[in-house]
Amino acid sequence: MTGRTVFIVSFAIAICAFVFAATGGAQESEPGERIMNASCVNACHSVRVIQTQALTPEAWNKTVATMIEKGAKVSKDEMPVLVSYLAQHHAPVPDGPGKEILLNICTMCHDLGRIRLGRRSTEEWEETLVSMLNEGAPLSEEQFPVIHAYLSKNFGVD
């Protein structure tokens, strides 16, 4: 490496380190996520309970109201923020073979909002699933074609 290349690489690393330090090393979470973590996840139950629900905004509103009645610490001002977050990230998905796999396996790493927006062709969904298997997704050989068909049908390219 030339001296100039070393300088450029060192400068790029320094900039990345500065940006990382300036942002606290992590991306800021959304207000609704912070409320969920403080009032739901850290207080009463695991995040898996939320990740596997896939409810409508109305159902999330009712669920949050019920949790508040049971003692969840969510203020009146926080409730719409929390419900909006839940409705966006943990909204309903179509029924059919593969839905349970999606809710029980895919949501271990991804929220439903990300999955819904991940429009892919059949081939791209296959590549994605193979990649997830390589990352350690606990997907069986029997489940693979089921979730592949479900994702391709419901979250394919229009």
Side-chain angles (χ1 to χ4, degrees), residues 51-117:
Q51 292 170 327
T52 59
Q53 294 302 305
L55 301 176
T56 65
E58 297 78 20
W60 277 121
N61 196 56
K62 183 177 178 181
T63 299
V64 171
T66 300
M67 294 298 118
I68 291 170
E69 288 174 10
K70 292 181 177 185
K73 304 293 183 217
V74 178
S75 72
K76 262 188 169 177
D77 293 338
E78 291 174 327
M79 188 169 173
V81 176
L82 176 59
V83 170
S84 176
Y85 173 81
L86 293 169
Q88 181 180 1
H89 294 275
H90 306 288
V93 292
D95 289 329
K99 178 179 178 177
E100 292 303 314
I101 297 169
L102 175 76
L103 292 177
N104 292 308
I105 294 177
C106 302
T107 61
M108 292 172 77
C109 299
H110 308 289
D111 71 44
L112 295 173
R114 179 176 180 179
I115 295 166
R116 274 195 313 281
L117 294 174

Side-chain angles (χ1 to χ4, degrees), residues 34-50:
R34 289 193 299 270
I35 296 166
M36 176 190 75
N37 287 335
S39 302
C40 309
V41 175
N42 293 333
C44 295
H45 51 76
S46 75
V47 72
R48 289 301 294 151
V49 172
I50 296 167

Side-chain angles (χ1 to χ4, degrees), residues 125-146:
W125 275 121
E126 183 175 0
E127 291 171 8
T128 299
L129 290 170
V130 168
S131 177
M132 295 301 100
L133 284 169
N134 290 334
E135 293 291 326
L139 191 63
S140 71
E141 286 185 39
E142 296 80 23
Q143 292 170 321
F144 188 96
V146 176

